[in-house]
Amino acid sequence: MRMTVALTALVVGFAMAAQVQPSRASEGPWCSHYFGTDYTENCSMRSFDMCIAETRGAGGTFCSPNPRYHAVAVERAAHRRQIAAPHPM
């Protein structure tokens, strides 16, 4: 009985792990690159100025556009697009 429960839990765990997608929430339009003892890339920068501030003072660093970042267009709410009706007299 215990073996069946453990095996079922293991199969469910593997099935859930297979459904996991990598998070893109931290992807930003700019990447900071660090060259030191190893290469490190941080692509969570929301602006070029933020990237420059992050890399300032560290030798062997630079900023570049993030090739994996795809901006999502946000439409304005429909109520903002309505044309104001003339006021009745």
Side-chain angles (χ1 to χ4, degrees):
M1 177 71 176
R2 288 184 183 175
M3 184 64 125
T4 305
V5 172
L7 185 59
T8 302
L10 186 64
V11 169
V12 170
F14 278 125
M16 290 176 64
Q19 298 293 329
V20 174
Q21 297 288 326
S23 174
R24 299 268 180 177
S26 64
E27 290 284 326
W30 291 95
C31 296
S32 59
H33 305 272
Y34 307 93
F35 293 98
T37 57
D38 60 348
Y39 172 77
T40 305
E41 179 181 78
N42 179 359
C43 292
S44 65
M45 304 301 154
R46 297 289 170 209
S47 69
F48 182 71
D49 291 333
M50 182 179 183
C51 185
I52 291 295
E54 178 75 19
T55 60
R56 184 171 291 144
T61 60
F62 68 95
C63 295
S64 70
N66 183 353
R68 295 177 305 276
Y69 180 75
H70 300 286
V72 177
V74 178
E75 291 188 32
R76 293 183 181 206
H79 69 277
R80 292 184 183 174
R81 292 185 180 177
Q82 292 177 350
I83 298 173
H87 295 286
M89 293 188 183

